[in-house]
Amino acid sequence: MKKNLFLLFALLFCGHAVATAQEGNECIRISTDETDLIYKTAPNGRLYQTYLGKRLLHDADLKHLSTASKPGSDGSAGLQGFEAYVTAGGGDFFEPALSITHSDGNMSTVLKYVSSEVKPLDGNATETVIRMKDEQYPLEVTLHYVAYSDENIIKTWTEIKHTEKLPVYLNQYASSVVYFERPRYFLNEYSGDWAKEMQLGSQELLPGKKLLETKLGTRAAMYMYPFFELGLGEPVAEGQGEVVLGTIAWTGNYRFTFEVDKVKNLRLMAGINPYASRYELQPGETFVTPEFIFSRSDRGSGAASRGFQAWAKRYQLKDGEGDRLTLLNNWENTSFSFDEKILSALMKDAAHLGVDMFLLDDGWFGNKYPRNNDKAGLGDWQAMKTKLPHGVPFLVKEAKAAGVKFGIWIEPEMVNPKSSLAEEHPEWIIKLPNRETQYYRNQLVLDLTNPEVQDFVFGVVDGLLTENPDLAYFKWDCNSPITNPYSPYLGEKQDRLYVDYVRGLYNVLERIKAKYPDIPMMLCSGGGARCDYGALRYFTEFWASDNTDPIERLYIQWGFSKFFPMKAICAHVTSWNRRTSIKFRVDVAMMCKMGFDIGLKEMTEDELTFCKQAVATYKELKPTILDGEFYRLVSPYEGNHTAVMSVGEREAVLYTYNIHPRFAEVLYPIRLQGLDADKFYRVEEINLMPGKTSAFKENGQVYSGDYLMTAGLRLFTTEDLSSHLFRLCVVE
Ligand code: DGJ
């Protein structure tokens, strides 16, 4: 019903479904429940953004929106409005979304509006398609906008096509550009490195350009994450203020450009990083950019990120609405040192712990060059006979006998020079022919631009699943960026390498998804350097960091939760930072998709009993933990304590952590969020160590949602490195 009304509205008030607009005043309105993005044509036939902000209440007001931006000192408003897909050589003096060198060498492009249409999609989503063309060249540009009303998300991308006689060069080809007119802009960005993923930094944007970008080739993230929060008018806040959260669905080099002009307009552009990637577009070929996904909200980044989480579960993440498996991994515990006996014992440990699966990590393959460390064997995906004489089928059988599922680690895009694969197929390796080779973790990247290599990589998964139909899970790692950027396959067209690598990867993942649609897979990249929504179409979850020190994880998980549902973020209990208790480590992992990667023998009897109980509790609370609405209550960046909560249908889970409280610190009440003000909730502390009872007087008390959200509860303590989890159940 809602969808139909929306469509009707779009047709009545935003122009005809298909319209020509040389006369100007064609209006295209793209709306979510909270936001309007409105375009209009000007008398010059071009298309301009006239509004991006809170959804307007009255249709009658749309006529007031103007295609001219704030005038500059020369008064040239109208000429330089916010062009919908701003081009180089078209009269604009700032960063273009599209820059083309035409086949005759002309570097200008001017796009005129042709037509638009609105299509309903599954769910409460609507796609708006806008067609434009250059009147001097046979060039068509099509803008796509999908508006997800309920989740308040807009996803936008662009298609570029021409029929000139010879190829044209795309020098810049952004996914999208949007504009803001506010007095000030504040950017939250997330930088990182190995074991330091998703670290928040903030700054005000001043006139000039700020770029967020990477050039890593195989992945978007590691040094700079492909996510941002933008505070419009004031710094980003969790619970109030106008914010934009954005990301790009691309597993390679990306670039966000934030450009503040002379009169403080902000131009925000997202796309593939054009670095070393001038794209030769053949006549008749369509270049499709990746999707830029953003949410604008007037209710702070908490609301916007809940929109992101809901959208991802419903539309983007593989099996977004499905369940997730708890697991025991062996990487932190055994590293490369294991054999069949050790693994069989670990499978029994997994069953004893109560988790669903045992996950075998790196080190199970390679014969001529056994993978006993990270210097050899990558590429040779046959079980190592010395360690595993009976191969993978034996392990799958052992897991079954122990009562758990079996999952396995692979890194199929990579090769060690010491491997049979490198000896047999040197031409499959990305490597400069005429320079000294540089290695990252002793390995090189396979040339996924080559269809033969794509077949090989697909074959790694296909081969394992054909041999072991009961294999239940893959952890897909990627430990190296592209070093020595040269594809033997591309020959003279090296500027396609970065784009075609990602396309090659998607081809492989598409084939895997088509043949094995139900297999859950973890995306991993030397910790958490691959976690973009391009790849996550094919993965159910991602590894957030090798850093499982629970203190560090509080910051890392805080950052990732801004953009991802908790079920997508893998968190394992390990022995990183033994100064923290097992309880603290479990309590931190428990807010995400929980697993273990620790020897059970390291634990005392009480600790093991605690972990087993925690797994059982986790399984019981999974619908709330993984699918509830997530609220960040107290930031670890702002003090010595942090708290978050997940709110489900009839219960909520509250997580509280005391990191390093100060002497005689004043402890403020935690105000909860997301509850029903008129319902009553019983508060019960969970995850207690055996024999312990809750020391909180609030334990067992019943409070209204209103009280919990306005007065709040004093649940922080001054005990160093302590944590307390609470279950809140609705009482009738
Ligand atoms: C990097 C990953 O982040 C780790 O979890 C582990 O799988 C190693 N690679 C294995 O080499």
Side-chain angles (χ1 to χ4, degrees):
M1 178 64 188
K2 206 169 169 190
K3 194 196 298 169
N4 291 343
L5 272 180
F6 178 86
L7 249 184
L8 187 68
F9 172 81
L11 294 179
L12 280 178
F13 297 101
C14 292
H16 324 283
V18 176
T20 51
Q22 293 308 315
E23 74 280 8
N25 285 330
E26 199 64 35
C27 168
I28 300 161
R29 182 179 193 180
I30 296 151
S31 312
T32 68
D33 283 356
E34 214 174 313
T35 295
D36 263 329
L37 169 59
I38 300 176
Y39 293 99
K40 275 188 178 181
T41 53
N44 63 7
R46 301 201 204 177
L47 186 69
Y48 295 89
Q49 178 191 306
T50 59
Y51 181 81
L52 174 50
K54 188 173 181 186
R55 187 167 174 161
L56 300 172
L57 286 179
H58 302 289
D59 310 326
D61 288 330
L62 297 184
K63 64 175 178 291
H64 303 304
L65 294 170
S66 157
T67 54
S69 65
K70 272 183 282 185
S73 51
D74 60 353
S76 61
L79 245 188
Q80 295 168 32
F82 297 152
E83 202 160 3
Y85 195 62
V86 61
T87 51
D92 179 88
F93 298 113
F94 296 90
E95 194 68 17
L98 180 66
S99 158
I100 297 184
T101 305
H102 294 278
S103 50
D104 62 0
N106 190 322
M107 293 187 73
S108 73
T109 296
V110 173
L111 295 174
K112 300 271 175 104
Y113 174 84
V114 177
S115 66
S116 66
E117 60 183 308
V118 181
K119 306 189 268 193
L121 300 182
D122 282 351
N124 201 5
T126 315
E127 180 173 358
T128 302
V129 181
I130 304 174
R131 296 198 175 77
M132 300 193 290
K133 67 170 190 206
D134 189 324
E135 288 173 346
Q136 300 305 319
Y137 290 91
L139 170 77
E140 291 165 31
V141 170
T142 309
L143 309 179
H144 295 259
Y145 300 84
V146 178
Y148 299 89
S149 289
D150 302 345
E151 296 80 11
N152 189 32
I153 290 276
I154 295 176
K155 181 170 89 175
T156 161
W157 72 98
T158 297
E159 289 175 13
I160 306 157
K161 188 182 173 182
H162 75 95
T163 50
E164 294 186 26
K165 288 211 169 56
L166 294 169
V168 307
Y169 289 102
L170 306 183
N171 309 308
Q172 288 186 219
Y173 35 90
S175 298
S176 185
V177 51
V178 287
Y179 306 82
F180 300 94
E181 285 179 283
R182 307 289 190 278
R184 296 174 79 183
Y185 309 98
F186 297 85
L187 179 69
N188 277 5
E189 62 187 45
Y190 291 88
S191 61
D193 201 342
W194 178 79
K196 274 179 90 65
E197 287 83 348
M198 229 29 201
Q199 305 291 311
L200 170 66
S202 310
Q203 62 184 273
E204 181 166 5
L205 295 174
L206 298 174
K209 247 187 283 182
K210 162 82 185 173
L211 303 181
L212 302 181
E213 62 167 5
T214 55
K215 303 184 178 106
L216 297 157
T218 53
R219 39 163 100 165
M222 181 158 76
Y223 299 140
M224 183 55 73
Y225 278 75
F227 308 100
F228 66 82
E229 296 167 277
L230 181 65
L232 298 174
E234 56 191 316
V236 175
E238 196 61 35
Q240 88 244 355
E242 190 182 10
V243 296
V244 177
L245 267 60
T247 187
I248 182 164
W250 185 245
T251 314
N253 303 350
Y254 73 90
R255 191 169 82 178
F256 296 123
T257 307
F258 301 84
E259 187 170 26
V260 179
D261 72 12
K262 68 225 183 275
V263 282
K264 290 246 176 134
N265 300 313
L266 171 66
R267 170 177 304 196
L268 159 54
M269 210 165 316
I272 293 177
N273 193 338
Y275 163 77
S277 298
R278 185 177 75 149
Y279 192 91
E280 187 183 278
L281 187 68
Q282 300 300 324
E285 181 188 348
T286 303
F287 185 91
V288 185
T289 71
E291 297 153 348
F292 170 50
I293 302 147
F294 71 96
S295 171
R296 192 217 59 89
S297 171
D298 298 291
R299 297 176 293 139
S301 75
S305 85
R306 278 186 292 283
F308 253 98
Q309 293 175 331
W311 166 81
K313 282 191 274 188
R314 196 160 174 205
Y315 297 102
Q316 193 87 358
L317 182 67
K318 182 175 177 190
D319 196 20
E321 290 177 323
D323 195 10
R324 295 294 183 269
L325 299 167
T326 53
L327 58 83
L328 177 68
N329 190 194
N330 71 313
W331 175 247
E332 292 293 331
N333 181 10
T334 68
S335 184
F336 294 96
S337 311
F338 54 81
D339 57 19
E340 283 179 347
K341 207 167 138 223
I342 292 174
L343 295 184
S344 297
L346 286 176
M347 292 173 198
K348 291 191 185 104
D349 283 353
H352 186 60
L353 199 54
V355 295
D356 304 306
M357 181 170 61
F358 173 72
L359 170 62
L360 172 59
D361 216 283
D362 196 354
W364 59 268
F365 50 88
N367 284 297
K368 183 170 176 193
Y369 299 100
R371 177 80 171 166
N372 286 320
N373 52 50
D374 63 14
K375 295 188 175 56
L378 262 187
D380 300 348
W381 299 103
Q382 298 77 34
M384 193 193 301
K385 293 210 172 69
T386 46
K387 272 184 189 168
L388 307 172
H390 303 95
V392 177
F394 172 80
L395 300 176
V396 179
K397 225 165 57 203
E398 281 289 280
K400 203 169 194 176
V404 289
K405 291 175 193 282
F406 182 76
I408 202 161
W409 178 97
I410 51 174
E411 193 181 3
E413 297 156 75
M414 303 285 158
V415 62
N416 281 126
K418 272 195 185 172
S419 66
S420 303
L421 181 69
E423 287 175 353
E424 284 158 25
H425 287 291
E427 78 287 6
W428 282 4
I429 300 175
I430 294 179
K431 187 159 149 336
L432 283 156
N434 53 355
R435 297 190 191 278
E436 194 187 332
T437 303
Q438 308 205 3
Y439 299 91
Y440 195 99
R441 207 194 188 204
N442 314 301
Q443 64 195 59
L444 295 169
V445 181
L446 290 176
D447 186 2
L448 269 173
T449 67
N450 181 343
E452 273 183 37
V453 177
Q454 294 171 22
D455 287 346
F456 170 80
V457 175
F458 170 74
V460 175
V461 173
D462 194 36
L464 279 163
L465 282 170
T466 307
E467 184 190 38
N468 307 284
D470 286 339
L471 199 59
Y473 186 87
F474 284 98
K475 174 179 179 184
W476 179 305
D477 209 341
C478 163
N479 282 290
S480 179
I482 293 182
T483 50
N484 325 289
Y486 183 91
S487 150
Y489 178 75
L490 290 173
E492 286 174 1
K493 303 207 165 161
Q494 292 301 319
D495 39 15
R496 291 184 73 117
L497 172 60
Y498 289 121
V499 172
D500 282 359
Y501 184 90
V502 180
R503 288 175 169 175
L505 174 67
Y506 290 164
N507 279 345
V508 172
L509 295 171
E510 205 50 68
R511 284 168 72 184
I512 295 171
K513 194 173 176 182
K515 188 156 178 190
Y516 304 104
D518 300 325
I519 187 126
M521 303 214 287
M522 182 205 287
L523 182 60
C524 174
S525 184
R530 248 189 190 172
C531 49
D532 59 90
Y533 276 117
L536 282 166
R537 272 189 279 252
Y538 309 101
F539 292 85
T540 44
E541 56 224 52
F542 68 92
W543 183 229
S545 178
D546 281 349
N547 193 337
T548 42
D549 171 340
I551 302 174
E552 294 304 323
R553 273 294 182 132
L554 286 172
Y555 295 85
I556 293 169
Q557 292 169 193
W558 180 272
F560 280 125
S561 76
K562 298 261 176 153
F563 300 90
F564 294 104
M566 304 319 281
K567 71 191 333 174
I569 307 170
C570 298
H572 294 175
V573 176
T574 73
S575 41
W576 279 58
N577 196 351
R578 288 173 206 263
R579 284 185 305 123
T580 60
S581 66
I582 287 281
K583 171 172 162 56
F584 192 81
R585 290 178 242 168
V586 169
D587 284 356
V588 171
M590 200 137 159
M591 73 168 85
C592 297
K593 197 226 140 207
M594 182 168 74
F596 288 78
D597 192 352
I598 187 168
L600 300 197
K601 288 186 193 67
E602 274 185 42
M603 298 188 210
T604 64
E605 207 174 302
D606 268 1
E607 286 171 339
L608 185 55
T609 308
F610 167 79
C611 287
K612 286 171 65 174
Q613 184 52 51
V615 171
T617 307
Y618 182 80
K619 286 187 167 178
E620 195 189 329
L621 296 178
K622 251 205 271 181
T624 302
I625 292 176
L626 298 182
D627 284 319
E629 295 226 298
F630 192 73
Y631 291 84
R632 288 175 295 273
L633 305 176
V634 180
S635 168
Y637 284 95
E638 279 160 25
N640 310 313
H641 311 266
T642 176
V644 296
M645 71 187 288
S646 268
V647 183
E649 281 291 300
R650 298 189 53 77
E651 68 177 8
V653 179
L654 169 66
Y655 309 78
T656 71
Y657 307 93
N658 308 290
I659 306 173
H660 297 304
R662 308 274 307 268
F663 171 73
E665 191 181 314
V666 180
L667 299 169
Y668 293 97
I670 305 169
R671 293 198 178 86
L672 311 197
Q673 292 181 41
L675 302 173
D676 185 331
D678 297 324
K679 287 209 165 91
F680 285 81
Y681 298 83
R682 184 179 311 282
V683 174
E684 177 205 356
E685 184 170 3
I686 56 171
N687 267 19
L688 290 157
M689 286 299 285
K692 288 252 173 176
T693 48
S694 176
F696 291 96
K697 66 175 179 2
E698 290 80 357
N699 187 47
Q701 298 291 328
V702 173
Y703 303 86
S704 72
D706 173 53
Y707 182 88
L708 292 167
M709 293 191 290
T710 44
L713 299 179
R714 281 181 206 276
L715 298 175
F716 284 138
T717 75
T718 50
E719 195 188 338
D720 202 50
L721 293 175
S722 64
S723 53
H724 300 279
L725 268 51
F726 301 87
R727 180 180 192 168
L728 285 78
C729 290
V730 173
V731 287
E732 296 308 334

